[in-house]
Each structure stands twice: as structure tokens, then as C-alpha cells.
Amino acid sequence: MWEAFSHNLKDPAGAAVPFFLLFMLIEMAAVRREDREDRELAGEAPRGMGYLREDTRASLTMFVGSIAFSAIFRTAAFLLYTVLYVHLAPWHLSARNPWTWVGVLLGVDLLWYTYHRFSHRVRLGWAGHQAHHSSVYFNFSTALRQKWNQWFEVLIWLPLPLLGVPPWMIYFTFSINLIWQFHLHTEKIDRFPRCWEAVFNTPSHHRVHHGSDPIYLDRNYGGILIVWDRLFRSFQAELHRPTYGLTYPVGTYNVWQLQYGEYVKIWHDVRRAPRWRDRLAYVFGPPGWQPPQPAPRDFVSPS
């Protein structure tokens, strides 16, 4: 068990952080230059373009917080995965076999799609995930706008150690998945060749995912591959520039409200619900669920 545990925290995403910040600064400089040119011609930049200081500060604060919370969740989960891997897995896959890497990369990506779709369609999952979608700006700082509530991610990887995947390998491949997703959060990359767009998740596909327009809602959940969305009918091509952010105005840059505000709303909805059926639906139903209203009764005039 100790040998497996010694592989923990070999996280390529940590080594990529300086590059994340560098590309964010490069994008910020490019956007500001274009913004100055646009202002000279047509006034203020449209909503959702560029960077706003308060918004970027909130995203970076969430990123720092996510690193701290991730250390806690990942350490606890790694211990659980190690116990499952050592004592319950019927076999142990070899990291020296290249086909193991192919299988684990595909498995992690499929499980990420499953978890990501769950976090959009079940309100309790959405309460944690919505923080990532709360910005009306779409840029590389949005990629760093990460949630602090990672309990469902602990559960989604449980099949992998039971199938004999070394626990360190789970988080290593998931970090590769997250590194890929960083470059998706930009408007500076238009589209890749059609064959690439057909297989891989791209900035164009992910702009759709962050859109609050009705046609874009709950689409394009993939991590590295977009084929899962095409296979499970959750794909939507980019038709026009999305309106980014949530379907309701957030109205704050307070990171505590952005991270935990939806949990508070769930609590208030559950407390005022008269029936257990409605209480459960407020928690496990889709975001925005409301109990059906009784049909109005026909008015009968007195004779």
C-alpha cells in the first residue's frame, strides 16, 4: 500500500500552472490591444469580451482555493482508492503497458463526461459546479475559476481502482484531462480543421458549453473527446457567439457566495417545501425545478 501511496501528488497539472498564468497574461495583453482599437471605432467592448479586474480576481481566488481544497479531497480519496486497489481489485494493471494508458485515458474521459453531465442535470451536483460557469467573461482566467466542492469527483473514479488501475495513475491521467481543458476557454481560437473538431473537444465546442442561450444549455460535456457528446446526443455546434454565464444574473464577485450560494438556495427551498417528494426534487431534480402548480379551477357563477 505504501508503494502505491508514494506515487500520490505526481500531478502534471501542478507543473502546468506557470504556463496557465503565462498564457492568461498573453491573452490579456492581446485583448487589451484589440479593445483599445475597438473603443476607438465603436465604443465599449461587447459583454463577455476581454477581462474585467474584479472578475479575474474572483477567478484567481477560486483557483487558489481549489488547490487547497483539492489537496484535502485528493488525499482522502487516494487513501480510499488505494485500499480498493490493494484489497478488492481482481487484478492490477501495469503502467508499463501502453494499452493500459490508452484504456485509462479513455476511461477517465468517459467518467468525466458522466460526472460533468450529472453536475449539470442534478441540482446538488450543479450547486458545486455552477461556480465555474458564473462568469459572464470567457477567457483563460475562466478556466481557473474552479469549484471548491469536489466530493462527487471522489465517487466518480471509484470504478477505476476496482478495475485494477493504480490510484496514482487515475489522478495523473485526470490532470492531463484538465490540462487539455485549459486551452478550451478562449475566444481567440476560432475553429480547428473539421476532422479535429469531429473527434476532440475544442474552444468552439466549449464556448457552447459555457453559453446560457437556450439552444446551448446542457451541451458539450466532454473533456478531451467530443465523441461522447455525439454518441449520447448532447452535442451542439457553435451557431453564434454565446452569452456566457448563468441563466440568472449573479450580481456579485464574492467568492464565498459564488461557491456556496446555490447550497443556501437549496436549503431554503427544502425548508419551505411542504412534502418530502418536493424536498427530494429540490435536491436531486434538475436545476430550476419547481413543483407543478395546480390547474386553475373553472369559475362557476352562483345561480
Side-chain angles (χ1 to χ4, degrees), residues 228-264:
W228 311 121
D229 290 283
R230 297 183 185 277
L231 180 63
F232 299 117
R233 300 183 178 180
S234 55
F235 175 75
Q236 172 62 52
E238 185 179 27
L239 303 178
H240 54 78
R241 185 172 180 270
T243 300
Y244 302 112
L246 305 179
T247 56
Y248 55 88
V250 176
T252 182
Y253 297 108
N254 184 302
V255 295
W256 295 101
Q257 293 183 31
L258 293 172
Q259 290 286 345
Y260 298 107
E262 187 64 21
Y263 291 104
V264 174

mmCIF file of all heavy atoms in Angstrom, residues 228-264:
data_model
loop_
_atom_site.group_PDB
_atom_site.id
_atom_site.type_symbol
_atom_site.label_atom_id
_atom_site.label_comp_id
_atom_site.label_asym_id
_atom_site.label_seq_id
_atom_site.Cartn_x
_atom_site.Cartn_y
_atom_site.Cartn_z
ATOM 1 N N TRP A 228 -18.112 11.536 -27.091
ATOM 2 C CA TRP A 228 -19.138 11.096 -26.138
ATOM 3 C C TRP A 228 -20.420 11.914 -26.324
ATOM 4 O O TRP A 228 -21.523 11.360 -26.261
ATOM 5 C CB TRP A 228 -18.634 11.240 -24.703
ATOM 6 C CG TRP A 228 -17.279 10.670 -24.457
ATOM 7 C CD1 TRP A 228 -16.174 11.333 -24.007
ATOM 8 C CD2 TRP A 228 -16.867 9.298 -24.627
ATOM 9 N NE1 TRP A 228 -15.095 10.488 -23.899
ATOM 10 C CE2 TRP A 228 -15.491 9.219 -24.269
ATOM 11 C CE3 TRP A 228 -17.517 8.143 -25.049
ATOM 12 C CZ2 TRP A 228 -14.769 8.039 -24.320
ATOM 13 C CZ3 TRP A 228 -16.795 6.951 -25.101
ATOM 14 C CH2 TRP A 228 -15.454 6.914 -24.741
ATOM 15 N N ASP A 229 -20.272 13.206 -26.546
ATOM 16 C CA ASP A 229 -21.448 14.045 -26.772
ATOM 17 C C ASP A 229 -22.158 13.664 -28.054
ATOM 18 O O ASP A 229 -23.394 13.654 -28.111
ATOM 19 C CB ASP A 229 -21.039 15.520 -26.819
ATOM 20 C CG ASP A 229 -20.613 16.037 -25.468
ATOM 21 O OD1 ASP A 229 -21.496 16.307 -24.634
ATOM 22 O OD2 ASP A 229 -19.402 16.154 -25.225
ATOM 23 N N ARG A 230 -21.400 13.357 -29.064
ATOM 24 C CA ARG A 230 -22.023 12.942 -30.325
ATOM 25 C C ARG A 230 -22.725 11.593 -30.145
ATOM 26 O O ARG A 230 -23.809 11.368 -30.689
ATOM 27 C CB ARG A 230 -20.967 12.855 -31.425
ATOM 28 C CG ARG A 230 -20.304 14.199 -31.744
ATOM 29 C CD ARG A 230 -19.323 14.060 -32.896
ATOM 30 N NE ARG A 230 -18.589 15.295 -33.153
ATOM 31 C CZ ARG A 230 -19.047 16.305 -33.885
ATOM 32 N NH1 ARG A 230 -20.237 16.213 -34.445
ATOM 33 N NH2 ARG A 230 -18.308 17.383 -34.080
ATOM 34 N N LEU A 231 -22.100 10.698 -29.376
ATOM 35 C CA LEU A 231 -22.660 9.365 -29.176
ATOM 36 C C LEU A 231 -23.915 9.411 -28.317
ATOM 37 O O LEU A 231 -24.901 8.717 -28.603
ATOM 38 C CB LEU A 231 -21.603 8.468 -28.523
ATOM 39 C CG LEU A 231 -22.007 7.023 -28.235
ATOM 40 C CD1 LEU A 231 -22.325 6.281 -29.529
ATOM 41 C CD2 LEU A 231 -20.895 6.304 -27.475
ATOM 42 N N PHE A 232 -23.904 10.242 -27.259
ATOM 43 C CA PHE A 232 -25.025 10.283 -26.305
ATOM 44 C C PHE A 232 -25.951 11.479 -26.540
ATOM 45 O O PHE A 232 -26.730 11.858 -25.673
ATOM 46 C CB PHE A 232 -24.485 10.296 -24.879
ATOM 47 C CG PHE A 232 -23.679 9.072 -24.528
ATOM 48 C CD1 PHE A 232 -22.336 9.178 -24.200
ATOM 49 C CD2 PHE A 232 -24.274 7.825 -24.564
ATOM 50 C CE1 PHE A 232 -21.592 8.058 -23.885
ATOM 51 C CE2 PHE A 232 -23.531 6.691 -24.247
ATOM 52 C CZ PHE A 232 -22.190 6.799 -23.914
ATOM 53 N N ARG A 233 -25.852 12.087 -27.713
ATOM 54 C CA ARG A 233 -26.797 13.103 -28.188
ATOM 55 C C ARG A 233 -26.860 14.344 -27.295
ATOM 56 O O ARG A 233 -27.943 14.888 -27.048
ATOM 57 C CB ARG A 233 -28.197 12.488 -28.343
ATOM 58 C CG ARG A 233 -28.238 11.341 -29.337
ATOM 59 C CD ARG A 233 -29.634 10.814 -29.524
ATOM 60 N NE ARG A 233 -29.668 9.731 -30.517
ATOM 61 C CZ ARG A 233 -30.766 9.083 -30.885
ATOM 62 N NH1 ARG A 233 -31.941 9.420 -30.342
ATOM 63 N NH2 ARG A 233 -30.706 8.122 -31.777
ATOM 64 N N SER A 234 -25.703 14.776 -26.839
ATOM 65 C CA SER A 234 -25.644 16.032 -26.094
ATOM 66 C C SER A 234 -24.773 17.059 -26.816
ATOM 67 O O SER A 234 -24.371 18.055 -26.221
ATOM 68 C CB SER A 234 -25.108 15.799 -24.677
ATOM 69 O OG SER A 234 -23.851 15.146 -24.700
ATOM 70 N N PHE A 235 -24.516 16.821 -28.103
ATOM 71 C CA PHE A 235 -23.647 17.730 -28.860
ATOM 72 C C PHE A 235 -24.450 18.866 -29.478
ATOM 73 O O PHE A 235 -25.577 18.674 -29.941
ATOM 74 C CB PHE A 235 -22.911 16.975 -29.967
ATOM 75 C CG PHE A 235 -22.093 17.874 -30.845
ATOM 76 C CD1 PHE A 235 -20.894 18.397 -30.396
ATOM 77 C CD2 PHE A 235 -22.535 18.221 -32.116
ATOM 78 C CE1 PHE A 235 -20.139 19.240 -31.194
ATOM 79 C CE2 PHE A 235 -21.791 19.062 -32.924
ATOM 80 C CZ PHE A 235 -20.588 19.573 -32.455
ATOM 81 N N GLN A 236 -23.836 20.036 -29.476
ATOM 82 C CA GLN A 236 -24.401 21.193 -30.173
ATOM 83 C C GLN A 236 -23.264 21.976 -30.795
ATOM 84 O O GLN A 236 -22.313 22.361 -30.113
ATOM 85 C CB GLN A 236 -25.187 22.083 -29.209
ATOM 86 C CG GLN A 236 -25.643 23.401 -29.806
ATOM 87 C CD GLN A 236 -26.588 23.210 -30.987
ATOM 88 O OE1 GLN A 236 -27.586 22.498 -30.889
ATOM 89 N NE2 GLN A 236 -26.271 23.825 -32.114
ATOM 90 N N ALA A 237 -23.329 22.216 -32.083
ATOM 91 C CA ALA A 237 -22.318 23.018 -32.760
ATOM 92 C C ALA A 237 -22.505 24.492 -32.408
ATOM 93 O O ALA A 237 -23.607 24.931 -32.063
ATOM 94 C CB ALA A 237 -22.405 22.812 -34.268
ATOM 95 N N GLU A 238 -21.441 25.248 -32.515
ATOM 96 C CA GLU A 238 -21.491 26.692 -32.265
ATOM 97 C C GLU A 238 -22.137 27.381 -33.459
ATOM 98 O O GLU A 238 -21.608 27.357 -34.573
ATOM 99 C CB GLU A 238 -20.081 27.227 -32.026
ATOM 100 C CG GLU A 238 -20.050 28.685 -31.635
ATOM 101 C CD GLU A 238 -18.642 29.186 -31.386
ATOM 102 O OE1 GLU A 238 -17.684 28.623 -31.991
ATOM 103 O OE2 GLU A 238 -18.480 30.140 -30.597
ATOM 104 N N LEU A 239 -23.283 28.000 -33.231
ATOM 105 C CA LEU A 239 -24.026 28.673 -34.291
ATOM 106 C C LEU A 239 -23.831 30.177 -34.270
ATOM 107 O O LEU A 239 -23.878 30.829 -35.307
ATOM 108 C CB LEU A 239 -25.523 28.348 -34.163
ATOM 109 C CG LEU A 239 -25.887 26.868 -34.197
ATOM 110 C CD1 LEU A 239 -27.389 26.690 -34.001
ATOM 111 C CD2 LEU A 239 -25.423 26.225 -35.493
ATOM 112 N N HIS A 240 -23.646 30.727 -33.084
ATOM 113 C CA HIS A 240 -23.425 32.162 -32.920
ATOM 114 C C HIS A 240 -22.669 32.372 -31.623
ATOM 115 O O HIS A 240 -22.533 31.447 -30.813
ATOM 116 C CB HIS A 240 -24.757 32.925 -32.896
ATOM 117 C CG HIS A 240 -25.724 32.411 -31.865
ATOM 118 N ND1 HIS A 240 -25.628 32.707 -30.508
ATOM 119 C CD2 HIS A 240 -26.811 31.600 -31.983
ATOM 120 C CE1 HIS A 240 -26.597 32.112 -29.846
ATOM 121 N NE2 HIS A 240 -27.329 31.431 -30.713
ATOM 122 N N ARG A 241 -22.173 33.563 -31.427
ATOM 123 C CA ARG A 241 -21.400 33.844 -30.216
ATOM 124 C C ARG A 241 -22.298 33.681 -28.989
ATOM 125 O O ARG A 241 -23.351 34.298 -28.905
ATOM 126 C CB ARG A 241 -20.830 35.258 -30.268
ATOM 127 C CG ARG A 241 -19.919 35.575 -29.079
ATOM 128 C CD ARG A 241 -19.224 36.915 -29.271
ATOM 129 N NE ARG A 241 -18.364 37.191 -28.141
ATOM 130 C CZ ARG A 241 -18.756 37.838 -27.046
ATOM 131 N NH1 ARG A 241 -19.990 38.291 -26.960
ATOM 132 N NH2 ARG A 241 -17.918 38.044 -26.050
ATOM 133 N N PRO A 242 -21.898 32.849 -28.022
ATOM 134 C CA PRO A 242 -22.757 32.607 -26.863
ATOM 135 C C PRO A 242 -22.834 33.815 -25.937
ATOM 136 O O PRO A 242 -21.967 34.689 -25.930
ATOM 137 C CB PRO A 242 -22.065 31.427 -26.143
ATOM 138 C CG PRO A 242 -21.128 30.841 -27.158
ATOM 139 C CD PRO A 242 -20.704 31.989 -28.023
ATOM 140 N N THR A 243 -23.891 33.824 -25.147
ATOM 141 C CA THR A 243 -23.992 34.711 -23.993
ATOM 142 C C THR A 243 -23.507 33.902 -22.798
ATOM 143 O O THR A 243 -24.150 32.914 -22.410
ATOM 144 C CB THR A 243 -25.444 35.168 -23.759
ATOM 145 O OG1 THR A 243 -25.901 35.860 -24.920
ATOM 146 C CG2 THR A 243 -25.530 36.097 -22.555
ATOM 147 N N TYR A 244 -22.395 34.305 -22.212
ATOM 148 C CA TYR A 244 -21.761 33.498 -21.187
ATOM 149 C C TYR A 244 -22.369 33.777 -19.814
ATOM 150 O O TYR A 244 -23.002 34.798 -19.577
ATOM 151 C CB TYR A 244 -20.258 33.763 -21.158
ATOM 152 C CG TYR A 244 -19.582 33.476 -22.474
ATOM 153 C CD1 TYR A 244 -19.047 34.502 -23.247
ATOM 154 C CD2 TYR A 244 -19.513 32.177 -22.967
ATOM 155 C CE1 TYR A 244 -18.438 34.238 -24.463
ATOM 156 C CE2 TYR A 244 -18.908 31.905 -24.184
ATOM 157 C CZ TYR A 244 -18.369 32.939 -24.932
ATOM 158 O OH TYR A 244 -17.777 32.685 -26.135
ATOM 159 N N GLY A 245 -22.147 32.828 -18.911
ATOM 160 C CA GLY A 245 -22.621 32.972 -17.549
ATOM 161 C C GLY A 245 -23.844 32.119 -17.281
ATOM 162 O O GLY A 245 -24.223 31.248 -18.085
ATOM 163 N N LEU A 246 -24.459 32.354 -16.126
ATOM 164 C CA LEU A 246 -25.637 31.602 -15.715
ATOM 165 C C LEU A 246 -26.889 32.191 -16.355
ATOM 166 O O LEU A 246 -26.858 33.275 -16.929
ATOM 167 C CB LEU A 246 -25.749 31.614 -14.189
ATOM 168 C CG LEU A 246 -24.507 31.108 -13.435
ATOM 169 C CD1 LEU A 246 -24.728 31.195 -11.932
ATOM 170 C CD2 LEU A 246 -24.152 29.686 -13.845
ATOM 171 N N THR A 247 -27.988 31.498 -16.231
ATOM 172 C CA THR A 247 -29.237 31.963 -16.824
ATOM 173 C C THR A 247 -29.874 33.072 -16.001
ATOM 174 O O THR A 247 -30.874 33.647 -16.425
ATOM 175 C CB THR A 247 -30.240 30.801 -16.959
ATOM 176 O OG1 THR A 247 -30.442 30.195 -15.675
ATOM 177 C CG2 THR A 247 -29.706 29.751 -17.929
ATOM 178 N N TYR A 248 -29.337 33.345 -14.837
ATOM 179 C CA TYR A 248 -29.804 34.450 -13.990
ATOM 180 C C TYR A 248 -28.587 35.285 -13.596
ATOM 181 O O TYR A 248 -27.475 34.762 -13.500
ATOM 182 C CB TYR A 248 -30.508 33.913 -12.730
ATOM 183 C CG TYR A 248 -29.668 32.945 -11.928
ATOM 184 C CD1 TYR A 248 -28.796 33.392 -10.934
ATOM 185 C CD2 TYR A 248 -29.747 31.572 -12.170
ATOM 186 C CE1 TYR A 248 -28.025 32.507 -10.207
ATOM 187 C CE2 TYR A 248 -28.968 30.677 -11.447
ATOM 188 C CZ TYR A 248 -28.113 31.153 -10.465
ATOM 189 O OH TYR A 248 -27.339 30.275 -9.749
ATOM 190 N N PRO A 249 -28.739 36.572 -13.384
ATOM 191 C CA PRO A 249 -27.584 37.402 -13.039
ATOM 192 C C PRO A 249 -27.034 37.054 -11.659
ATOM 193 O O PRO A 249 -27.789 36.883 -10.702
ATOM 194 C CB PRO A 249 -28.153 38.828 -13.070
ATOM 195 C CG PRO A 249 -29.624 38.664 -12.871
ATOM 196 C CD PRO A 249 -29.986 37.347 -13.503
ATOM 197 N N VAL A 250 -25.730 36.927 -11.565
ATOM 198 C CA VAL A 250 -25.095 36.582 -10.300
ATOM 199 C C VAL A 250 -25.025 37.807 -9.396
ATOM 200 O O VAL A 250 -25.372 37.759 -8.219
ATOM 201 C CB VAL A 250 -23.685 36.008 -10.540
ATOM 202 C CG1 VAL A 250 -22.985 35.747 -9.222
ATOM 203 C CG2 VAL A 250 -23.771 34.733 -11.362
ATOM 204 N N GLY A 251 -24.553 38.916 -9.959
ATOM 205 C CA GLY A 251 -24.564 40.174 -9.217
ATOM 206 C C GLY A 251 -23.568 40.270 -8.085
ATOM 207 O O GLY A 251 -23.753 41.083 -7.166
ATOM 208 N N THR A 252 -22.513 39.454 -8.090
ATOM 209 C CA THR A 252 -21.523 39.526 -7.027
ATOM 210 C C THR A 252 -20.197 38.957 -7.511
ATOM 211 O O THR A 252 -20.166 38.115 -8.422
ATOM 212 C CB THR A 252 -21.987 38.752 -5.780
ATOM 213 O OG1 THR A 252 -20.998 38.898 -4.737
ATOM 214 C CG2 THR A 252 -22.149 37.272 -6.085
ATOM 215 N N TYR A 253 -19.122 39.424 -6.896
ATOM 216 C CA TYR A 253 -17.801 38.830 -7.101
ATOM 217 C C TYR A 253 -17.292 38.203 -5.809
ATOM 218 O O TYR A 253 -16.119 37.842 -5.708
ATOM 219 C CB TYR A 253 -16.806 39.885 -7.594
ATOM 220 C CG TYR A 253 -17.184 40.458 -8.943
ATOM 221 C CD1 TYR A 253 -17.667 41.758 -9.057
ATOM 222 C CD2 TYR A 253 -17.068 39.697 -10.102
ATOM 223 C CE1 TYR A 253 -18.028 42.280 -10.286
ATOM 224 C CE2 TYR A 253 -17.434 40.210 -11.336
ATOM 225 C CZ TYR A 253 -17.901 41.504 -11.418
ATOM 226 O OH TYR A 253 -18.260 42.023 -12.643
ATOM 227 N N ASN A 254 -18.183 38.074 -4.828
ATOM 228 C CA ASN A 254 -17.828 37.453 -3.559
ATOM 229 C C ASN A 254 -17.666 35.944 -3.773
ATOM 230 O O ASN A 254 -18.629 35.255 -4.107
ATOM 231 C CB ASN A 254 -18.921 37.731 -2.527
ATOM 232 C CG ASN A 254 -18.576 37.196 -1.150
ATOM 233 O OD1 ASN A 254 -18.338 36.008 -0.974
ATOM 234 N ND2 ASN A 254 -18.564 38.084 -0.168
ATOM 235 N N VAL A 255 -16.469 35.435 -3.578
ATOM 236 C CA VAL A 255 -16.200 34.038 -3.923
ATOM 237 C C VAL A 255 -16.962 33.070 -3.022
ATOM 238 O O VAL A 255 -17.309 31.957 -3.448
ATOM 239 C CB VAL A 255 -14.688 33.746 -3.874
ATOM 240 C CG1 VAL A 255 -13.955 34.552 -4.945
ATOM 241 C CG2 VAL A 255 -14.110 34.030 -2.503
ATOM 242 N N TRP A 256 -17.241 33.470 -1.783
ATOM 243 C CA TRP A 256 -17.995 32.590 -0.900
ATOM 244 C C TRP A 256 -19.429 32.439 -1.398
ATOM 245 O O TRP A 256 -19.981 31.332 -1.387
ATOM 246 C CB TRP A 256 -17.978 33.131 0.526
ATOM 247 C CG TRP A 256 -16.605 33.129 1.114
ATOM 248 C CD1 TRP A 256 -15.752 34.183 1.234
ATOM 249 C CD2 TRP A 256 -15.899 31.991 1.627
ATOM 250 N NE1 TRP A 256 -14.572 33.792 1.788
ATOM 251 C CE2 TRP A 256 -14.628 32.457 2.052
ATOM 252 C CE3 TRP A 256 -16.210 30.645 1.789
ATOM 253 C CZ2 TRP A 256 -13.679 31.604 2.613
ATOM 254 C CZ3 TRP A 256 -15.264 29.793 2.349
ATOM 255 C CH2 TRP A 256 -14.028 30.276 2.748
ATOM 256 N N GLN A 257 -20.025 33.533 -1.851
ATOM 257 C CA GLN A 257 -21.367 33.441 -2.410
ATOM 258 C C GLN A 257 -21.373 32.666 -3.720
ATOM 259 O O GLN A 257 -22.297 31.893 -3.994
ATOM 260 C CB GLN A 257 -21.936 34.841 -2.626
ATOM 261 C CG GLN A 257 -22.202 35.615 -1.342
ATOM 262 C CD GLN A 257 -22.839 36.966 -1.618
ATOM 263 O OE1 GLN A 257 -23.579 37.136 -2.574
ATOM 264 N NE2 GLN A 257 -22.527 37.947 -0.771
ATOM 265 N N LEU A 258 -20.346 32.871 -4.538
ATOM 266 C CA LEU A 258 -20.271 32.158 -5.804
ATOM 267 C C LEU A 258 -20.097 30.660 -5.590
ATOM 268 O O LEU A 258 -20.622 29.846 -6.357
ATOM 269 C CB LEU A 258 -19.115 32.708 -6.643
ATOM 270 C CG LEU A 258 -19.270 34.151 -7.140
ATOM 271 C CD1 LEU A 258 -17.978 34.625 -7.791
ATOM 272 C CD2 LEU A 258 -20.439 34.263 -8.119
ATOM 273 N N GLN A 259 -19.358 30.275 -4.560
ATOM 274 C CA GLN A 259 -19.104 28.861 -4.301
ATOM 275 C C GLN A 259 -20.248 28.175 -3.565
ATOM 276 O O GLN A 259 -20.568 27.018 -3.848
ATOM 277 C CB GLN A 259 -17.808 28.706 -3.491
ATOM 278 C CG GLN A 259 -16.542 29.038 -4.248
ATOM 279 C CD GLN A 259 -16.160 27.974 -5.263
ATOM 280 O OE1 GLN A 259 -16.660 26.853 -5.255
ATOM 281 N NE2 GLN A 259 -15.253 28.320 -6.155
ATOM 282 N N TYR A 260 -20.873 28.875 -2.620
ATOM 283 C CA TYR A 260 -21.827 28.210 -1.727
ATOM 284 C C TYR A 260 -23.244 28.775 -1.797
ATOM 285 O O TYR A 260 -24.131 28.277 -1.105
ATOM 286 C CB TYR A 260 -21.320 28.286 -0.284
ATOM 287 C CG TYR A 260 -20.005 27.586 -0.089
ATOM 288 C CD1 TYR A 260 -18.819 28.307 0.099
ATOM 289 C CD2 TYR A 260 -19.932 26.198 -0.113
ATOM 290 C CE1 TYR A 260 -17.613 27.661 0.260
ATOM 291 C CE2 TYR A 260 -18.724 25.542 0.053
ATOM 292 C CZ TYR A 260 -17.559 26.280 0.239
ATOM 293 O OH TYR A 260 -16.368 25.636 0.392
ATOM 294 N N GLY A 261 -23.455 29.803 -2.621
ATOM 295 C CA GLY A 261 -24.774 30.418 -2.683
ATOM 296 C C GLY A 261 -25.872 29.465 -3.104
ATOM 297 O O GLY A 261 -26.996 29.524 -2.590
ATOM 298 N N GLU A 262 -25.582 28.565 -4.040
ATOM 299 C CA GLU A 262 -26.609 27.638 -4.514
ATOM 300 C C GLU A 262 -26.980 26.622 -3.436
ATOM 301 O O GLU A 262 -28.142 26.199 -3.350
ATOM 302 C CB GLU A 262 -26.132 26.914 -5.778
ATOM 303 C CG GLU A 262 -27.178 26.043 -6.447
ATOM 304 C CD GLU A 262 -28.374 26.823 -6.976
ATOM 305 O OE1 GLU A 262 -28.250 28.041 -7.198
ATOM 306 O OE2 GLU A 262 -29.443 26.196 -7.179
ATOM 307 N N TYR A 263 -26.019 26.243 -2.597
ATOM 308 C CA TYR A 263 -26.354 25.349 -1.484
ATOM 309 C C TYR A 263 -27.321 26.029 -0.522
ATOM 310 O O TYR A 263 -28.249 25.387 0.004
ATOM 311 C CB TYR A 263 -25.092 24.941 -0.729
ATOM 312 C CG TYR A 263 -24.175 24.031 -1.502
ATOM 313 C CD1 TYR A 263 -23.002 24.516 -2.071
ATOM 314 C CD2 TYR A 263 -24.478 22.682 -1.660
ATOM 315 C CE1 TYR A 263 -22.156 23.683 -2.776
ATOM 316 C CE2 TYR A 263 -23.635 21.840 -2.368
ATOM 317 C CZ TYR A 263 -22.473 22.347 -2.925
ATOM 318 O OH TYR A 263 -21.642 21.516 -3.627
ATOM 319 N N VAL A 264 -27.117 27.320 -0.291
ATOM 320 C CA VAL A 264 -28.033 28.074 0.581
ATOM 321 C C VAL A 264 -29.426 28.101 -0.029
ATOM 322 O O VAL A 264 -30.436 27.923 0.672
ATOM 323 C CB VAL A 264 -27.500 29.495 0.820
ATOM 324 C CG1 VAL A 264 -28.507 30.334 1.610
ATOM 325 C CG2 VAL A 264 -26.161 29.461 1.548
#
